[in-house]
Amino acid sequence: MLQRLVNLRKSRKWSLQETADRLGIAKSTYAGYESGYREPSLQALLQIGDLFDTTVDYMLNRTDDNQPKLELTELLHSKDMVLSLDEIPLTAEEICDFIAFTRVKRDIKTSLD
């Protein structure tokens, strides 16, 4: 985790102080996370992930994929997120149609390859 935090910070060209300021914590606290002297709480990990636009799994070396993923099928049951097109919210039926269209298109492409 330590090297990934360093790499994420340096890829943005942020100093330790700037990163700590963005997180609203002391520089020594964040420096402790990068050095291994301190372990961030779950809440701190979530905040760091949000700041760097990555996942906790990536920071903890559980995956090499550092981009958060959104599963479209989860949107069918989500009360917290609205998917829209041309600023018009999609209905559950429209989301299902989109998913079905994409699956059929993938099947056609696979059969042609």
Side-chain angles (χ1 to χ4, degrees):
M1 176 177 92
L2 312 176
Q3 192 57 47
R4 291 219 168 150
L5 288 180
V6 172
N7 292 343
L8 288 165
R9 176 178 57 81
K10 287 185 175 183
S11 73
R12 285 160 178 76
K13 298 182 170 94
W14 293 344
S15 66
L16 287 169
Q17 184 66 59
E18 186 174 2
T19 305
D21 289 347
R22 290 172 182 260
L23 291 168
I25 60 176
K27 176 184 171 184
S28 60
T29 300
Y30 185 77
Y33 297 160
E34 284 193 7
S35 70
Y37 178 73
R38 292 178 182 241
E39 287 191 14
S41 66
L42 178 57
Q43 183 62 34
L45 279 173
L46 294 172
Q47 289 175 318
I48 294 167
D50 288 345
L51 177 66
F52 290 128
D53 193 30
T54 193
T55 64
V56 172
D57 281 345
Y58 178 76
M59 291 186 295
L60 297 176
N61 294 315
R62 293 182 55 171
T63 182
D64 289 330
D65 187 358
N66 70 346
Q67 294 301 308
K69 302 287 187 264
L70 175 64
E71 178 63 35
L72 283 178
T73 55
E74 292 176 13
L75 290 176
L76 295 171
H77 310 291
S78 175
K79 303 286 187 225
D80 300 326
M81 189 174 294
V82 174
L83 187 63
S84 64
L85 178 64
D86 300 326
E87 299 184 17
I88 300 169
L90 295 174
T91 65
E93 182 180 355
E94 289 172 322
I95 295 170
C96 287
D97 289 346
F98 176 77
I99 292 167
F101 170 80
T102 303
R103 287 178 175 159
V104 168
K105 188 168 180 178
R106 285 178 179 169
D107 287 345
I108 291 170
K109 185 175 189 250
T110 302
S111 68
L112 295 175
D113 288 343

